[in-house]
Amino acid sequence: ASGNPLRLAAAALKTRVIRALDNMTPEQKGFAVGILFGDKSGISGSDKTILSQTGIMHVFAVSGLHVGFVLALGMGLAKLLRLKKWLFAMVAFIPILLYAAMADFTPSVTRALVMATVGLLAYVLGREREKWTSLAVAAGVCLLWRPYFLFDVGFQLSFLAVAGVFYLSPCLEKVLPGKGALRNSFALTLAAQLAIMPIVAWNFHVVTLLGMLISPLLIFVAGVVVVGGLATLLLSYSFIGPYF
């Protein structure tokens, strides 16, 4: 694994991003690295306890949401360059592959990577993107690659959350008050939280309504951090010079 070019490139990029955050306080840097890569080693034990008790620790588990932000950036760049379908898909795919490697191919990231790849292939081939099919393909690929994922809590939470979004969010959008992006965001978050609640309660012995209420805001914060981290990487190449 140490000689794998993808792993080496991802490790170098990750190191560069972390170095670019050195101007933060240790606590701020710990939170930023946790949101960016799921590495919670820089977060103190007391902070971890608070995050767990309030039900918002999931923000520090790199998920499909993070991969989605990276994919959006890649697709935005591809659209800006006005690339044809195959080149468009490649430019969109490479950033999410590197990001998945930086996050060490955790179950949730691998699931999101496979689903994004299926979506890009559907776009290239001119086929309809079917969400349940892409979720099933992701499960199959993950379990063929690493069968022990089946017993991983992160794997279970990731797939249940996505299934909850697919199945429950349309129902919640019909009954929740308000309208527009805010209602849709809350419906998506609530659907995912409801779907994973049994697994969370069983494994972590905690169920909290606070996490459900503030998760939409935290999702926005996570997006800002992920996009800001990637921007930091690009700027560091422009102004600091390469570290490797």
Side-chain angles (χ1 to χ4, degrees), residues 88-171:
F88 179 98
M90 288 299 297
V91 169
F93 173 73
I94 290 173
I96 59 174
L97 178 63
L98 282 171
Y99 184 72
M102 284 191 277
D104 201 27
F105 291 103
T106 60
S108 58
V109 167
T110 305
R111 187 269 307 159
L113 175 65
V114 175
M115 291 186 71
T117 304
V118 170
L120 289 171
L121 285 174
Y123 167 74
V124 168
L125 299 174
R127 307 294 290 271
E128 182 180 353
R129 286 171 285 183
E130 210 287 313
K131 56 190 179 183
W132 289 107
T133 299
S134 63
L135 185 63
V137 171
V141 170
C142 288
L143 293 176
L144 282 173
W145 180 41
R146 293 181 176 174
Y148 60 85
F149 271 180
L150 182 62
F151 306 101
D152 185 280
V153 176
F155 176 89
Q156 298 166 8
L157 291 174
S158 179
F159 278 87
L160 273 177
V162 175
V165 167
F166 288 169
Y167 187 77
L168 295 176
S169 60
C171 303

Side-chain angles (χ1 to χ4, degrees), residues 36-101:
L36 271 170
F37 304 116
D39 181 358
K40 297 183 282 292
S41 60
I43 302 175
S44 67
S46 59
D47 286 335
K48 287 179 183 177
T49 300
I50 294 171
L51 292 169
S52 297
Q53 290 176 345
T54 52
I56 58 176
M57 182 61 87
H58 63 86
V59 176
F60 298 91
V62 175
S63 64
L65 180 72
H66 297 64
V67 176
F69 286 123
V70 178
L71 177 62
L73 285 174
M75 291 177 67
L77 176 61
K79 286 182 179 179
L80 187 65
L81 297 174
R82 298 182 178 180
L83 300 175
K84 294 184 178 180
K85 282 189 173 181
W86 278 105
L87 284 175
F88 179 98
M90 288 299 297
V91 169
F93 173 73
I94 290 173
I96 59 174
L97 178 63
L98 282 171
Y99 184 72

